[in-house]
Amino acid sequence: MDHPTPTPRRRLRALTRLDVSAVSIARREVVWLWSVVSFIAVTLVAVGWPVTASGYGTHPAAAMAFTLVNCAAAILAVRWPWAGLGASVAGSLALMVVTAGAAPEWPWPWPVTVLLAHCLTVFVLALRHSWYWAASLWSVGAMLTVWAPAILSDGGHPSAFANGVVLVSLSGGFALVGVIMRLWSLSVLRMEQAERLSAAETSRRRELEERNRIARELHDVVAHSMSVITVQASTARYRQPGLDEAVQSEFEEIAASSRRALSEMRGLLGILRGHDTAPTAPLPGLADVTGLIESTRASGAEITYDGAETGSGTEDGTGEGTEVSEVVGLTAFRVVQEALSNALRHAPGSAVTVRISGDGHELRVVVTNTPPGRDDEPTPGARLGLAGIRERVAAIGGTVTAGPTLDGGFEVAATLPVEDADPLPA
């Protein structure tokens, strides 16, 4: 089912809702801070502009421009501390200059709206960034409190000292609260990360438990039956005397195939159980394709093999050709194994041709079977073999094609890169 494309409204709703599992606490904190700071800044502009223009006798355009800069500092400080600090200092200093001739009853050098905007910026810097940004702005505010009356007011302003004390103490309190809230937010964020890590570990543990359960069931269901087949096939000549050589050879091939299947199943069980130890048995490669084909021929299948140009040599084990890594050799072996299994199951009585060739850069494996030669009912499969082969080949950068041929048969063709193949777990 396709999910609808998230709109900006939906994204904002997802960020602002109180659902810890949906969005990170840090992201929600930023969105809420942007919203609250923007609302307060707009309110301060709406109040500070007319107050500065009428109460302090400042030109409306200058009052508006400087108030916007001073109040925008808090919004900038959410993301860029240096921009917020610079805008706050520039806006405050400009407003001190234009309001220097204020009447004695009006607070100066820090008008109320300027003082509140300054404290808001200090709080945002302390909440969102390292403590020294808030400390720097607080220190600059304290210095402006001392320098502004001495430079801009000849006779001194009657409320300058009290106004400065209020600014220093109030902004210091905002900085302290911001630092405490920042530490609390970081602790909550670490707690959230710890919870997510714990949930991931729990999921991993449950996955391992499920894999162990599957491994146990696979062992109980398959291993016993395969062991019985092996024992029966190995002891047939002793339990049934008088068997001719052809029948005895057939039983030996069955025993060898079942032992090989048991060995591969043990490796699969080790993977399912998550064992860290490396398998002690060697993995099959190109050199083992000949043995695979010989064991498959024992079932009565007609198989033609052409692999003289590869590192596996010819059917008699001679010849030199393209050298491949263990990963490529294992992948080629699995491709041939799965293709032969499919041909035996779905096209009984067909003639199979296996061709393996290489040019030093690529290894090409082609398995083709003719239409079924008998009317036997095809053996059903799990329909996962070709999908697994595609995944295995794609993992080393190769390609696979599989489909019917013009004469009604079926062909599986895989192209494997010989050079710079990525490692692939067995």
Side-chain angles (χ1 to χ4, degrees):
M1 179 178 179
D2 295 335
H3 296 281
T5 304
T7 61
R9 183 179 179 182
R10 286 175 179 168
R11 293 194 189 98
L12 181 60
R13 185 184 304 168
L15 290 173
T16 54
R17 64 185 177 184
L18 296 177
D19 184 3
V20 177
S21 62
V23 185
S24 171
I25 290 178
R27 291 182 62 192
R28 291 199 310 277
E29 176 188 303
V30 172
V31 173
W32 278 108
L33 191 61
W34 273 105
S35 304
V36 173
V37 170
S38 299
F39 175 77
I40 296 175
V42 171
T43 303
L44 290 175
V45 171
V47 175
W49 174 28
V51 169
T52 304
S54 59
Y56 289 88
T58 306
H59 191 277
M64 180 180 180
F66 297 147
T67 302
L68 282 174
V69 173
N70 190 54
C71 295
I75 301 177
L76 295 174
V78 175
R79 180 70 182 274
W80 304 286
W82 52 270
L85 190 149
S88 180
V89 172
S92 300
L93 183 59
L95 288 170
M96 288 180 184
V97 173
V98 298
T99 59
E105 62 270 16
W106 288 93
W108 190 85
W110 293 96
V112 175
T113 54
V114 180
L115 185 147
L116 293 177
H118 177 83
C119 292
L120 178 62
T121 307
V122 170
F123 174 77
V124 172
L125 289 174
L127 182 63
R128 286 286 298 155
H129 308 286
S130 299
W131 62 270
Y132 54 80
W133 289 104
S136 300
L137 184 57
W138 180 85
S139 301
V140 172
M143 289 187 292
L144 290 178
T145 302
V146 175
W147 292 345
I151 298 175
L152 301 177
S153 179
D154 296 335
H157 198 278
S159 63
F161 178 77
N163 184 256
V165 171
V166 171
L167 178 281
V168 172
S169 58
L170 193 59
S171 61
F174 271 88
L176 181 60
V177 172
V179 170
I180 294 174
M181 291 185 65
R182 172 178 170 80
L183 295 177
W184 173 82
S185 176
L186 290 176
S187 65
V188 172
L189 181 60
R190 292 191 184 98
M191 185 182 302
E192 179 193 27
Q193 293 173 345
E195 291 177 354
R196 291 183 176 179
L197 180 61
S198 177
E201 291 296 332
T202 302
S203 176
R204 174 64 175 168
R205 177 174 56 81
R206 291 176 179 173
E207 178 185 349
L208 291 177
E209 291 175 354
E210 180 66 15
R211 288 169 59 177
N212 285 332
R213 185 186 66 81
I214 295 174
R216 287 193 299 269
E217 292 184 358
L218 181 62
H219 179 273
D220 295 341
V221 173
V222 180
H224 174 71
S225 300
M226 293 298 298
S227 299
V228 171
I229 294 173
T230 304
V231 172
Q232 288 180 337
S234 301
T235 60
R237 63 169 60 195
Y238 307 107
R239 292 182 294 101
Q240 304 291 337
L243 295 177
D244 58 27
E245 288 297 326
V247 176
Q248 291 182 11
S249 176
E250 186 77 15
F251 276 116
E252 290 175 359
E253 290 293 340
I254 294 174
S257 298
S258 59
R259 281 193 294 268
R260 184 162 51 249
L262 274 174
S263 177
E264 294 185 359
M265 192 187 69
R266 291 191 188 99
L268 175 62
L269 292 178
I271 294 174
L272 287 175
R273 287 170 177 163
H275 290 169
D276 295 331
T277 56
T280 55
L283 296 174
L286 276 182
D288 299 296
V289 172
T290 302
L292 173 65
I293 292 176
E294 289 295 336
S295 63
T296 307
R297 282 174 178 162
S299 65
E302 179 185 348
I303 304 176
T304 303
Y305 177 41
D306 180 10
E309 297 181 9
T310 66
S312 61
T314 58
E315 293 194 42
D316 60 0
T318 62
E320 296 181 357
T322 303
E323 294 295 332
V324 299
S325 64
E326 293 182 0
V327 173
V328 175
L330 173 61
T331 304
F333 179 88
R334 295 301 186 200
V335 171
V336 175
Q337 185 180 47
E338 179 60 28
L340 290 177
S341 299
N342 285 342
L344 294 179
R345 283 198 303 265
H346 303 296
S350 64
V352 183
T353 302
V354 179
R355 295 188 301 275
I356 302 180
S357 60
D359 58 2
H361 302 284
E362 290 181 343
L363 184 69
R364 184 165 176 82
V365 180
V366 181
V367 181
T368 308
N369 63 268
T370 60
R374 300 192 301 268
D375 296 331
D376 300 350
E377 185 70 20
T379 304
R383 300 181 181 274
L384 298 177
L386 288 179
I389 289 300
R390 287 190 177 94
E391 293 176 358
R392 183 183 288 271
V393 173
I396 63 173
T399 58
V400 176
T401 59
T405 59
L406 296 177
D407 61 354
F410 198 83
E411 181 179 271
V412 176
T415 303
L416 312 177
V418 173
E419 299 177 348
D420 299 328
D422 294 332
L424 177 67

